[in-house]
Amino acid sequence: MNSYGHFDDASREYVITRPDTPWPWINYMGTGDFFSLISNTAGGYCFCRDAKFRRILRYRYNGVPMDAGGRYFYIKDGDTLWNPGWKPCRTPLDFYECRHGMGYTRICGEKDGLRAESLFFVPLEHRCEVHRVKLSNRSDHPKTVRLYAFVEWCLWNASTDMENFQRNLSTGEVEVQPDAIYHKTEYRERRNHYAFYGANRHFDGFDTDRETFLGMYNGFDAPVQALAGTSGNSVAHGWSPVAAERFDLELAPGATEELIFVLGYVENPADAKFSAPGVINKTAAREMLEAYSTGVRVDAAFAALRAYWDDLLGRFTVASDVPELDRTVNVWNQYQCMITFFMSRSASYFESGIGRGMGFRDSNQDLAGIVHMIPDRARQRILDIAATQFPDGGCYHQYQPLTKRGNNDIGGGFGDDPLWLIFGTVAYLKETGDFSILDEPVPFDNVPGSEVSLLEHLKISFRRVATGLGPHGLPLIGRADWNDCLNLNCFSLDPDESFQTTENVAGGQAESLMIAGLFVAEGKDFAELLERLGDADASSVRSAVCAMEDSVKKHGWDGEWFLRAYDFHGGKIGSRECDESKIFIESQGWCAMARIGAGEGLCDKALDSAVKHLECEHGLVLNAPAFSSYLYQYGEISSYPQGYKENGGIFCHNNPWVIIAEAMAGHVEDAWRHYTKITPAFGRQSHDLRKVEPYVFCQMVAGAEAARPGEGKNSWLTGTAAWTWKCVSEFILGVKPQYDGLLIEPCIPLKYGTYRIHRRFRDAEYDISVRCTDGGPGKVFIPYSPGGHVLEVTV
Ligand code: GLC
Ligand code: GLC
C-alpha cells in the first residue's frame, strides 16, 4: 500500500511526501474575495470574487498531463532544470514535501544540494497571493543559479478564454517594469481591473509572450528560455501573455537568498484608470508590492493569517481519545466548511469555476457548517439568498456571486428549495440569538420596492410547499428535490437536452417523500420559532406538519422502509414492488430525522433497512440495487452507471442524515460506524484507492456496485462538509445550540465517551468535560449566560 502523506496535527497541516499523488491534492487560499486553488505541485489558479468572470490565471481542466499550469518556479542549476514542486519538469528530486495548511501551502524541494522552500498564501488585507521562495545552498561549493518565476494569464472570462480564439489571440496586452509584469488585456476598453506579478527585486530578464518563453511546440516542462538560462525580454501583443521573470543568483556554500513575489489584482475607479494615455495607473499595485517587500512584512502578514484561523478554529475544539475524530473536528472538517462556504460549488478540481454559481439549496445548507465561526457573514448570506426568492415562494436554483442575481442556467422549480431557507435561518438563530435578522427587509428577485421581512420570506417558503401537494397529500417534486437527478416530470430522449433545464411535461403530479420528511423536520422547527415569537401562524404550521405526517404514514410507508417518491403517473419509487432501486437513502434519512411514525417503530425499521440494504464497506449507498439501464421516466439518475453519483454511489452528503437519525433513535454503534466509514481521517480506503485528498470529504465515493468501490470523486465542495459537521458536533459529540443555551446530548460509543469540549457560544466560552455512562444516553441543558464557564457534564 502506497502512502503519499500524513497529518501533522500540531501544525494543522497535511504533509504530502510524494509529488505523484493519485490525483492532484489541493488546498485553497483566501478568506475575503480573492481566492486560489493550489495543488501539491503548485498547480491551479486564482480569481477575484467570481471564478468565471474574474479569472486571473489560466487553467486547463482537460489538459494533459493533468494539472498543468500554476505558479511555477524553475531553477536552472548547471545543466539541470527543476521545480521545487516537481512539476512541470518532473526532474527527480532529492527531497520533496508539500504542507497544506489553513489558507496556505508550503512546497519544499531539494536537488543537488540546493534547497528551495516556497510559501504561498493569500493575506487577509490584500487581493493577492504572496509567494516567498528561499533558496539555500547546502552543498560545499558555490552555486550560480537562475530562478524563473512563471505564471500564465487568463483573459479574465474563464469561459470565453477557452472558446473565442478569433478574438482572444489578438487582444492580449501587458506592461513591464523592472520588477513587475502587468496584465492589462481589455483594460483599454471596459475593464477597470488588471493583474500583476511583481518581485521585491529587479529581474535580470523577462518574458511576457508565452511562445518566446516556452517555444512554440514545448510544454511547461521544457521552456526553451529556462533550459538555455536566457530570457527573450519579449513583450506580448496578442497570443498568450505570461509573466516569466528571471533572477541570476550567486550562492556561496551555506548561503540563502530569499525572494518575495506578489501576484495581485487591482480594480481602479473609472476616472483613475490611466496615469498617462494607455498606461495603467499602478498606484494600488505598487502599494501592494510595498506591503510585502520584506521578509519581516511577509512574516507579519502570515502571522495575521494564522491568527485568523486560530480564532475561527478555536471556537469549537474537542480533546478525545480518538485522534482521527479530533483532527477531523478540530481542523479539517471545519476548514472544509469554510472553503465550501466561500466557494459554494463553483471552483475545485471537479468544478470548473464556470458552471455553477451559488446554489439556493446548497448555500443554505453550507451555513450550518460555518455559522459558529463567521456569524456575520452567515447573516449576509441568508439575506442575499432570500433576496433571490420569488413572491410565490419559488426561487432561482442559483445566483451569481458577482451580481447576486438569480438565474435559470441550471434550472429552477426544485420542490425542496424553499424549505432550506428555513433550515439556514434557524441554524443562524440558534447559534447567534440574533432575532433582528427576521425583521430585515428583503426584496423578491432583487426588485427594489418589493421588500418584505425575512420572516415573511420564511412563511412564504413554508406555504409554498404546504400548498403544493400531490394526490397523496405529499409535496410535489417539481424539477427534482435534493436529488437533482430524480427528474420525474421530464421524459427526455434527446441527448443534447439538459435534464435540469428542459421543459417539464405539464400535469406532472410526482411527489417526494424526501421533501415530506424535510417539511416535517423544518416545519417543527419553524413552528417552534413562531411560538417563541408569539406569532399566530404557529398553529397552522403545526397542523400542516401533522397532516403531512399522516400522509407519510398512510401513503409513504412501504412496510420496511419509507418510499422515495411517486412518479408522474402515480407509480411507486423506492418500493419493494420495484425491480430496481427498491430503497433510497434520502427518505429514510429525512423521515427518520423528522421522527415520523417513531412511536410506531417506523424510524427504527427504516434505519435498520438502510443498514441492511444500503450499507457497504465504504458507507451507505444512495439507492439499491442501482438502476441498470436508462429509464426515461426517472431522468438523470438512471443516466449514471451503477455505483456512481446518484445511482448507487455513496453520496456522502446524505450519509449524515442517516447518522443523525441513528443518533436520534439512540443507535450509538450504527451512528459511529457510519460516521467512521465516510470520514477520511479514519483511513478506510488506501490512498491509491481513494485517489482524492485524504483530508477532506468527497461528494461521492464509488458504491458497492461500481467498478472500483471506495474510489473518491468530487472532493472539497460538497454539502457533506456542513452535514458531517452538524452530525459530529451536535449529534455525536452532542453539543446542540438552542435558542437559550447548549444542550449536551452525546451519542458516541461508551469507550470514547469521555472527552473535553471547548465551545464559544455567542459571547460565552464553555469548557465542558463530558463523561458518558452506561446509564445513557442522557442529556444536560446548559443555559446561555455571558462569560466563561467550566462545567462537568455526566450523561
Ligand atoms: C450536488 C448538488 C446538490 C444536490 C446533490 C444531489 O451535490 O450540488 O444541490 O442536492 O448534488 O443531487
Ligand atoms: C447533481 C449531480 C451533478 C449534476 C447536477 C445537475 O448535483 O450530482 O452531477 O451536475 O445534479 O444535473
Side-chain angles (χ1 to χ4, degrees):
M1 252 179 19
N2 290 323
S3 167
Y4 297 82
H6 56 266
F7 290 95
D8 177 346
D9 295 331
S11 34
R12 297 199 191 111
E13 290 172 337
Y14 191 87
V15 187
I16 302 169
T17 50
R18 294 174 53 164
D20 57 336
T21 47
W23 177 260
W25 287 359
I26 73 163
N27 192 14
Y28 285 84
M29 309 191 292
T31 52
D33 62 9
F34 183 104
F35 293 105
S36 305
L37 291 73
I38 182 165
S39 71
N40 57 308
T41 57
Y45 60 91
C46 50
F47 60 91
C48 189
R49 284 212 299 279
D50 189 308
K52 176 175 176 179
F53 291 112
R54 297 290 182 274
R55 183 79 62 98
I56 296 163
L57 296 188
R58 179 173 282 168
Y59 191 75
R60 295 166 182 78
Y61 271 86
N62 266 331
V64 279
M66 178 67 193
D67 190 31
R71 322 93 181 127
Y72 290 141
F73 295 114
Y74 293 90
I75 295 168
K76 171 92 159 98
D77 180 8
D79 289 336
T80 311
L81 186 66
W82 60 281
N83 313 100
W86 183 59
K87 282 192 71 180
C89 293
R90 295 191 295 153
T91 306
L93 301 175
D94 301 331
F95 175 79
Y96 161 89
E97 185 183 85
C98 167
R99 289 176 170 261
H100 285 319
M102 306 289 102
Y104 67 90
T105 288
R106 296 177 191 278
I107 297 176
C108 178
E110 187 170 325
K111 180 82 186 162
D112 300 333
L114 186 66
R115 195 174 182 95
E117 293 166 278
S118 52
L119 167 69
F120 302 86
F121 69 100
V122 171
L124 298 175
E125 300 294 332
H126 289 106
R127 291 170 163 175
C128 65
E129 286 183 10
V130 175
H131 307 165
R132 183 174 66 191
V133 199
K134 264 189 212 168
L135 294 180
S136 316
N137 182 357
R138 301 181 150 208
S139 77
D140 54 10
H141 52 272
K143 279 183 179 281
T144 301
V145 298
R146 305 201 152 185
L147 173 77
Y148 292 82
F150 173 84
V151 296
E152 182 182 12
W153 305 114
C154 177
L155 306 186
W156 304 118
N157 179 325
S159 178
T160 57
D161 187 61
M162 295 192 295
E163 290 166 0
N164 193 3
F165 301 105
Q166 62 79 26
R167 171 181 166 82
N168 296 350
L169 296 179
S170 291
T171 54
E173 288 190 304
V174 298
E175 283 181 36
V176 181
Q177 287 186 328
D179 59 352
I181 290 168
Y182 298 81
H183 175 227
K184 62 166 186 177
T185 302
E186 292 183 347
Y187 192 77
R188 58 167 52 243
E189 32 126 349
R190 293 157 299 169
R191 293 193 184 276
N192 68 335
H193 50 264
Y194 63 89
F196 64 94
Y197 193 40
N200 68 339
R201 62 170 88 178
H202 288 190
F203 25 85
D204 296 299
F206 67 89
D207 277 293
T208 67
D209 173 61
R210 191 182 70 199
E211 269 66 62
T212 307
F213 182 66
L214 294 182
M216 187 45 131
Y217 295 104
N218 290 21
F220 294 127
D221 59 330
V224 286
Q225 299 292 349
L227 283 167
T230 55
S231 296
N233 295 344
S234 57
V235 176
H237 297 282
W239 304 113
S240 292
V242 299
E245 302 166 359
R246 193 188 88 230
F247 303 86
D248 301 343
L249 308 168
E250 302 289 339
L251 287 154
T256 293
E257 285 270 2
E258 180 179 279
L259 291 89
I260 300 162
F261 298 86
V262 177
L263 173 61
Y265 168 90
V266 168
E267 285 174 7
N268 275 336
D271 57 359
K273 277 178 65 170
F274 299 100
S275 62
V279 179
I280 42 179
N281 172 355
K282 304 182 184 67
T283 312
R286 297 311 316 181
E287 277 167 18
M288 241 190 268
L289 284 163
E290 193 53 33
Y292 305 99
S293 58
T294 66
V296 171
R297 289 177 187 176
V298 171
D299 285 342
F302 187 59
L305 178 68
R306 297 201 81 140
Y308 171 89
W309 284 104
D310 285 348
D311 171 53
L312 292 187
L313 298 177
R315 293 171 187 226
F316 191 124
T317 59
V318 63
S320 78
D321 294 333
V322 189
E324 295 87 350
L325 179 68
D326 289 7
R327 67 175 62 117
T328 302
V329 169
N330 295 337
V331 187
W332 293 98
N333 192 356
Q334 297 197 68
Y335 183 57
Q336 187 177 358
C337 286
M338 287 290 292
I339 302 302
T340 305
F341 170 79
F342 290 146
M343 296 291 118
S344 190
R345 304 298 175 269
S346 73
S348 73
Y349 271 28
F350 295 88
E351 299 279 5
S352 64
I354 59 177
R356 300 209 260 174
M358 319 288 290
F360 192 97
R361 157 208 300 149
D362 291 337
S363 291
N364 271 306
Q365 291 171 81
D366 293 346
L367 292 170
I370 54 89
V371 64
H372 67 292
M373 290 187 273
I374 45 169
D376 295 346
R377 292 181 78 171
R379 189 182 207 273
Q380 189 56 49
R381 181 65 61 84
I382 291 170
L383 298 175
D384 289 346
I385 298 172
T388 63
Q389 193 171 31
F390 299 120
D392 67 359
C395 38
Y396 291 108
H397 197 47
Q398 74 161 4
Y399 69 97
Q400 217 55 43
L402 192 62
T403 59
K404 296 189 176 177
R405 294 292 183 277
N407 63 57
N408 283 323
D409 292 355
I410 59 163
F414 293 80
D416 61 317
D417 268 342
L419 293 171
W420 294 112
L421 187 62
I422 300 177
F423 172 87
T425 307
V426 166
Y428 173 80
L429 292 173
K430 288 192 170 168
E431 181 65 38
T432 62
D434 166 27
F435 287 86
S436 73
I437 193 176
L438 295 172
D439 303 324
E440 288 287 339
V442 182
F444 292 108
D445 196 7
N446 279 294
V447 176
S450 66
E451 290 81 1
V452 298
S453 68
L454 178 64
L455 181 63
E456 197 55 35
H457 278 268
L458 300 185
K459 289 185 178 179
I460 293 168
S461 297
F462 185 80
R463 218 175 294 139
R464 162 92 178 183
V465 181
T467 56
L469 305 180
H472 301 92
L474 298 166
L476 293 171
I477 198 167
R479 178 160 302 282
D481 58 22
W482 171 86
N483 188 332
D484 278 333
C485 299
L486 196 58
N487 314 118
L488 303 181
N489 299 310
C490 165
F491 306 98
S492 178
L493 290 170
D494 176 355
D496 298 324
E497 209 165 63
S498 151
F499 290 102
Q500 309 302 310
T501 52
T502 42
E503 191 66 28
N504 279 335
V505 176
Q509 296 282 289
E511 299 163 278
S512 160
L513 268 303
M514 180 268 155
I515 306 180
L518 176 66
F519 180 85
V520 172
E522 294 317 308
K524 286 179 180 170
D525 280 351
F526 192 42
E528 183 195 3
L529 172 62
L530 293 173
E531 279 154 9
R532 290 187 72 87
L533 299 172
D535 190 303
D537 286 348
S539 63
S540 65
V541 169
R542 286 258 179 235
S543 38
V545 165
C546 286
M548 186 66 72
E549 288 179 306
D550 288 343
S551 304
V552 172
K553 287 190 239 174
K554 208 180 289 162
H555 302 293
W557 183 248
D558 195 53
E560 298 288 324
W561 56 79
F562 294 101
L563 289 175
R564 177 61 177 88
Y566 284 97
D567 68 18
F568 187 91
H569 303 288
K572 291 177 184 172
I573 299 182
S575 160
R576 62 185 166 202
E577 295 161 26
C578 301
D579 294 334
E580 294 180 331
S581 296
K582 292 168 184 288
I583 173 169
F584 284 72
I585 197 168
E586 304 99 321
S587 45
Q588 315 319 319
W590 273 104
C591 293
M593 279 197 287
R595 307 289 294 149
I596 299 173
E600 297 99 300
L602 303 195
C603 297
D604 286 341
K605 259 194 205 161
L607 293 169
D608 289 348
S609 296
V611 167
K612 188 162 163 205
H613 301 286
L614 301 175
E615 184 174 350
C616 71
E617 190 187 343
H618 304 284
L620 296 146
V621 301
L622 191 144
N623 53 313
F627 294 111
S628 60
S629 59
Y630 177 58
L631 300 164
Y632 70 96
Q633 66 275 27
Y634 299 156
E636 187 171 355
I637 186 167
S638 59
S639 74
Y640 283 114
Q642 289 135 282
Y644 295 96
K645 296 282 285 182
E646 282 93 336
N647 189 24
I650 300 160
F651 213 95
C652 299
H653 185 150
N654 55 40
N655 275 229
W657 300 344
V658 169
I659 304 170
I660 291 172
E662 299 272 25
M664 291 172 113
H667 303 167
V668 180
E669 296 297 334
D670 289 325
W672 181 253
R673 193 180 64 254
H674 296 319
Y675 177 71
T676 60
K677 282 189 177 183
I678 59 159
T679 300
F682 286 90
R684 288 278 183 146
Q685 302 109 17
S686 69
H687 290 163
D688 279 317
L689 173 58
R690 182 178 170 86
K691 234 175 141 84
V692 297
E693 297 89 340
Y695 40 90
V696 289
F697 290 97
C698 299
Q699 180 210 57
M700 195 241 3
V701 171
E705 294 183 70
R708 271 171 48 101
E711 187 178 67
K713 287 203 181 107
N714 301 15
S715 51
W716 284 100
L717 307 184
T718 160
T720 314
W723 274 103
T724 47
W725 173 251
K726 192 175 172 67
C727 165
V728 72
S729 63
E730 295 186 25
F731 291 89
I732 293 179
L733 296 171
V735 183
K736 301 184 166 98
Q738 310 278 292
Y739 293 113
D740 302 314
L742 293 173
L743 180 65
I744 311 299
E745 190 181 15
C747 177
I748 188 166
L750 200 55
K751 57 177 180 283
Y752 308 130
T754 301
Y755 52 88
R756 278 174 294 121
I757 298 271
H758 177 81
R759 176 70 154 94
R760 187 181 308 170
F761 183 57
R762 304 177 196 171
D763 53 359
E765 305 279 346
Y766 291 89
D767 282 294
I768 310 166
S769 294
V770 179
R771 202 167 64 82
C772 299
T773 62
D774 51 11
K779 52 182 162 187
V780 174
F781 182 70
I782 306 175
Y784 161 72
S785 66
H789 311 270
V790 179
L791 301 153
E792 307 271 332
V793 175
T794 305
V795 287

